[in-house]
Amino acid sequence: MSVYDKIRNNKQQKVFAVLIDPDQYTDLQIDEVTRNVHESGVDLILVGGSLLIRDRLDQAIVRIRKASDKPVVLFPGSAMQVTAEADAILLLSLISGRNPEMLIGQHVIAAPYIKAAGLEVISTGYMLIDGGRPTTASYMSNASPIPNDKNDIAVCTAMAGEMLGMQAVYLDGGSGARHPVPTGMVRDVCNNIKIPVIAGGGIKDPETASKLCQAGADMIVVGNAIEKDHHMIREVSAAIRSF
Ligand code: 1GP
């Protein structure tokens, strides 16, 4: 089954993904975190970040693969984050912003490398939503996030992404967001498009994951919180599994 089929098949089951930012971990921590998330019933492991300052993406994925057989999906902050070690790539176009580099520029640079790597490509409309404070993603993308009470802007943006042929939209408060994406916004977006909706940023507890699933999100992404509390990850996983 392709990674996209897994995400799309949410009628049977929601998808739980964790984000491992290689910059945040030593090699031994990557082994430990991967073992923990694997045992917690995660479906996908995303790897990447808005800014990677250590050149060890390949090495990190090789280590992750030794500790888990879950699919590894690139979550790239730039064209430099492409490697054949992964299974798939969320090809993110920042449709909430108006920065041409993030909409298409980086993609032009990365396209031949993605093709040569033979990665499964999942064209994803990436929408940054104001999470209550500036994040690395909002700063690096040089684009304003959508205000978190402007559901109509989020809905129209997601609809445009779907009409342009994107395979999924990702509503992200940014890593370390103070507030997760509002459930009402996720609900409104889900009611207006048919492609899968991914929600992430600032999710730290099972209740939030549960509410986002209830609102219609097909896939939940947890990053920062995975290293802090392994029990909590199991609880988040169980909450997502209950749908
Ligand atoms: C960031 O959505 C991901 O792009 C994960 O965010 O690190 O806040 O969980 P957190």
Side-chain angles (χ1 to χ4, degrees), residues 19 75 126 170 172 174-177 200-203 221-225:
L19 172 64
F75 176 68
Y126 188 51
Y170 188 153
D172 196 350
S175 196
I203 300 172
V221 181
V222 176
N224 273 307

Side-chain angles (χ1 to χ4, degrees), residues 17-19 21 24 46 49-50 75 92 126 128 133 135 137 170-178 198-204 220-228:
V18 296
L19 172 64
D21 176 343
Q24 289 193 17
L46 305 190
S50 302
F75 176 68
L92 307 168
Y126 188 51
L128 275 177
R133 69 169 185 198
T135 61
Y170 188 153
L171 275 63
D172 196 350
S175 196
R178 196 169 282 148
I198 305 168
I203 300 172
K204 302 182 202 74
I220 300 293
V221 181
V222 176
N224 273 307
I226 58 172
E227 63 193 296
K228 294 187 182 117

Side-chain angles (χ1 to χ4, degrees), residues 21 23-24 49-53 77 81 94 102 126 128 133-143 172-177 224:
D21 176 343
D23 271 0
Q24 289 193 17
S50 302
L51 175 68
L52 295 189
I53 54 176
Q81 295 178 35
L94 183 62
M102 294 296 179
Y126 188 51
L128 275 177
R133 69 169 185 198
T135 61
T136 308
S138 61
Y139 181 81
M140 292 303 294
S141 63
N142 196 18
D172 196 350
S175 196
N224 273 307

